[in-house]
Amino acid sequence: MSEVELPDNWESPQRILVILAHPDDPEFFCGGTIARWTLAGHDVSYCLLTCGDKGTEDRSLTPDALCTLRQGEQMAAAAVLDVHRVQFMDYPDGYLVPDMKLRRDITRVIRQLQPDVLVTCDPTNLYVRETYLNHPDHRAAGQATLDAVFPAARDHLNFVELWRDENLEPHIVREVWISLPKEANVRIDVTELWERKLQALYEHKSQIGDPAKLEERLRSRHTSDSTLENPRYEEFFKRLVLG
Ligand SMILES: [Zn+2]
């Protein structure tokens, strides 16, 4: 991995938009980095494309009830990381495809919020390590978001109705940070924020099972050059500088 020295050492407060598939994705994928950014004074917003309405083994829960539950959990988790603007698109969980409707909806959000930096996930990442098949919604979210960043958000004749009828000016995203990357080129030390990440994840009560097991799992993810007693934690991204 080629190292970039302090890649988020921006000179001024940045507007950062995180677009991912499910409630809990921001905290699991990059919660430490999000906490680091809000602490540094950057303005972070979330846009979640689905409301996670399939993520349960509880047979008494309807999709609508689960959706409401998970949106509440997401708001609470975001607040722990000092993120106070969260938008849900309510596409059905599990069925997300990177079609033109989704691309246009994401383009609209990018033009409305005009982020300097956009965070999404990697559409090319089929599996993570040797134990985890990446969720198809994650890949679809990453694909549709990257396609919205370029060229749809940038060029006014793409989805011309957004410009013509909704007065949404084209927008150039300067940097894209791809979480859960197949190949990272940036790693962010989030040791100081690992506890905040854990606290945020605890808010996803319907998803995490036994909190003690989650804590054990998360604490074991220290870097290979550190120990549980003196741990260091990192989050990884593929960073693209476009503008
Ligand atoms: Zn997810």
Side-chain angles (χ1 to χ4, degrees):
M1 177 167 41
S2 66
E3 300 278 337
V4 179
E5 197 70 29
L6 292 175
D8 58 352
N9 192 22
W10 298 299
E11 285 178 3
S12 57
Q14 300 291 294
R15 199 174 302 169
I16 301 173
L17 173 59
V18 178
I19 303 181
L20 292 167
H22 307 121
D24 82 10
D25 287 349
E27 288 75 29
F28 269 116
F29 295 179
C30 50
T33 304
I34 291 166
R36 172 182 157 107
W37 286 343
T38 57
L39 197 62
H42 302 299
D43 175 17
V44 181
S45 309
Y46 292 175
C47 174
L48 287 320
L49 303 178
T50 82
C51 55
D53 53 285
K54 305 287 196 304
T56 187
E57 292 173 4
D58 181 346
R59 297 189 179 195
S60 69
L61 269 177
T62 64
D64 279 352
L66 181 58
C67 179
T68 303
L69 182 65
R70 293 199 63 185
Q71 289 185 346
E73 291 174 350
Q74 179 59 90
M75 297 302 291
V80 172
L81 303 183
D82 252 336
V83 174
H84 302 289
R85 198 182 306 112
V86 181
Q87 179 174 345
F88 299 95
M89 276 196 191
D90 294 344
Y91 278 81
D93 185 5
Y95 303 157
L96 201 64
V97 287
D99 62 13
M100 285 299 160
K101 179 177 184 307
L102 181 61
R103 192 190 299 183
R104 181 174 56 198
D105 284 346
I106 295 171
T107 300
R108 178 183 289 110
V109 173
I110 292 172
R111 290 194 188 181
Q112 285 169 335
L113 295 183
Q114 304 193 346
D116 304 298
V117 177
L118 186 143
V119 179
T120 188
C121 57
D122 191 339
T124 71
N125 200 357
L126 272 172
Y127 29 79
V128 184
R129 298 179 294 276
E130 292 173 5
T131 53
Y132 173 66
L133 268 177
N134 198 8
H135 196 297
D137 286 354
H138 297 164
R139 289 186 280 116
Q143 186 69 62
T145 302
L146 293 179
D147 294 344
V149 167
F150 176 83
R154 192 195 69 170
D155 296 340
H156 75 287
L157 291 180
N158 278 273
F159 305 122
V160 66
E161 63 277 17
L162 296 178
W163 170 67
R164 188 190 57 212
D165 304 336
E166 299 182 33
N167 294 319
L168 291 171
E169 287 293 321
H171 178 70
I172 296 176
V173 174
R174 202 189 66 248
E175 295 187 24
V176 177
W177 287 53
I178 298 172
S179 59
L180 219 65
K182 197 167 166 184
E183 289 175 4
N185 62 357
V186 156
R187 55 183 171 193
I188 299 292
D189 189 315
V190 289
T191 307
E192 305 292 320
L193 289 316
W194 206 245
E195 187 58 39
R196 283 273 292 285
K197 174 177 171 125
L198 260 173
Q199 293 302 323
L201 282 168
Y202 290 152
E203 296 293 343
H204 293 288
K205 294 183 179 67
S206 71
Q207 301 302 301
I208 59 172
D210 180 353
K213 286 203 172 124
L214 175 75
E215 177 174 353
E216 192 185 329
R217 185 153 57 94
L218 267 283
R219 292 205 188 283
S220 72
R221 288 195 189 160
H222 56 77
T223 59
S224 55
D225 63 352
S226 65
T227 61
L228 255 186
E229 293 69 42
N230 193 15
R232 217 165 57 70
Y233 296 102
E234 293 175 334
E235 288 175 341
F236 298 89
F237 299 87
K238 179 83 168 181
R239 174 182 177 240
L240 308 173
V241 180
L242 306 174

